Amino acid sequence: MTRFDDPQVVQSQYASEANLRARQALWADVEGENAPVVLERVLRSLAPLGDVVEVGGGQGELAERMQSEFGGRVSFVDQSERMVELARERGVEDAQVGDVQDLPFADASFDVAVAAWMLYHVADLERGLAELARVLRPGGKLIAVTVSLRHLEELRALIGVDSVVEGLFNSETGEASLLRHFSGVERHDTEITAVVRDRAVLDGYRASLSYETRPVPEDVPLPFRVSGRSTIFVATK
């Protein structure tokens, strides 16, 4: 299977926002308390955020909110030129192309770092975490969000895919990885159910993937329920 942390795959996946939006569409109708709600609660508990760096921030929605709602002075770094462009369009002026494995900032530059649903894409995780720790001030916080090995298990069974984050930064291994670079870690586990009423959403999700799958069955029962399992780690330097 193609690995989530293959640099060429990551570059291809995020050259535009199309694949990301197709996957986000899965979560249009959910039951339960989703991870973004819990992430917002974590960020509000730290507000005002002070100097913030977000790495791998996608289209920039969270960076914009941290800047406008949570009292953060946000620097934004993403490997994708398109994602940087979208973040700037949202008013995140300090947005630049860059790599979490070699951050373009001095030591102790930030109070908070955010890496949401992206550390499983980092080829050298230890180097990436070391860089995030380096740019944080003493007592600074890293908010790292990832998914469980059981994330999307119903959908993965439907299209014939094993866990795509096994061996990468995930809910089951994240704490141990973070403790190699940070003094303490809190965790917040979340579980929701996506209620998919339109087969086109499932087809779109499958088409967005970078690895081999089998087609969604013609007789897939609708609504189709998919479990989303994420963890929000708060690591303290």
Side-chain angles (χ1 to χ4, degrees):
M1 180 189 297
T2 302
R3 285 181 60 93
F4 256 29
D5 59 350
D6 182 319
Q8 291 184 330
V9 171
V10 175
Q11 182 180 23
S12 174
Q13 271 288 313
Y14 297 98
S16 82
E17 64 272 30
N19 289 328
L20 184 55
R21 291 203 187 282
R23 292 192 287 275
Q24 290 170 335
L26 188 72
W27 308 105
D29 184 1
V30 298
E31 298 171 347
E33 186 175 58
N34 64 22
V37 170
V38 179
L39 176 58
E40 177 177 324
R41 188 179 306 141
V42 169
L43 291 170
R44 288 197 184 282
S45 75
L46 299 176
L49 300 179
D51 294 312
V52 183
V53 59
E54 183 179 15
V55 295
Q59 302 108 311
E61 292 101 326
L62 181 57
E64 178 187 23
R65 292 195 65 198
M66 289 191 294
Q67 186 172 266
S68 63
E69 298 179 31
F70 303 126
R73 295 175 294 276
V74 180
S75 296
F76 179 98
V77 175
D78 199 290
Q79 288 185 324
S80 165
E81 292 184 4
R82 176 57 177 161
M83 298 304 164
V84 170
E85 179 183 6
L86 291 170
R88 287 176 178 161
E89 288 177 1
R90 290 180 173 275
V92 183
E93 294 182 1
D94 186 9
Q96 61 182 300
V97 175
D99 189 336
V100 69
Q101 297 166 106
D102 186 18
L103 289 172
F105 305 110
D107 295 357
S109 293
F110 299 99
D111 303 296
V112 175
V114 177
W117 292 282
M118 60 77 62
L119 286 171
Y120 41 64
H121 287 314
V122 179
D124 188 338
L125 175 63
E126 296 301 320
R127 182 176 174 183
L129 292 176
E131 277 290 274
L132 288 165
R134 178 185 67 78
V135 301
L136 282 172
R137 295 171 181 136
K141 307 287 187 182
L142 167 63
I143 314 300
V145 190
T146 190
V147 297
S148 167
L149 295 173
R150 296 184 60 206
H151 185 62
L152 305 181
E153 59 185 354
E154 301 89 352
L155 179 55
R156 289 190 284 105
L158 186 73
I159 61 176
V161 177
D162 294 329
S163 174
V164 294
V165 292
E166 187 170 0
L168 305 176
F169 185 86
N170 56 55
S171 297
E172 289 75 11
T173 63
E175 184 171 357
S177 296
L178 290 166
L179 284 173
R180 289 195 285 273
H181 300 273
F182 294 87
S183 63
V185 178
E186 301 173 12
R187 67 180 294 153
H188 306 266
D189 294 309
T190 73
E191 182 171 343
I192 61 170
T193 300
V195 183
V196 183
R197 306 180 192 279
D198 185 349
R199 179 210 163 94
V201 173
L202 299 174
D203 289 331
Y205 194 102
R206 173 181 175 265
S208 77
L209 302 175
S210 56
Y211 39 84
E212 293 294 324
T213 61
R214 59 176 176 245
V216 176
E218 292 291 338
D219 60 350
V220 60
L222 296 174
F224 187 80
R225 285 175 160 77
V226 183
S227 299
R229 297 179 173 93
S230 293
T231 300
I232 299 163
F233 292 105
V234 183
T236 302
K237 181 173 178 179

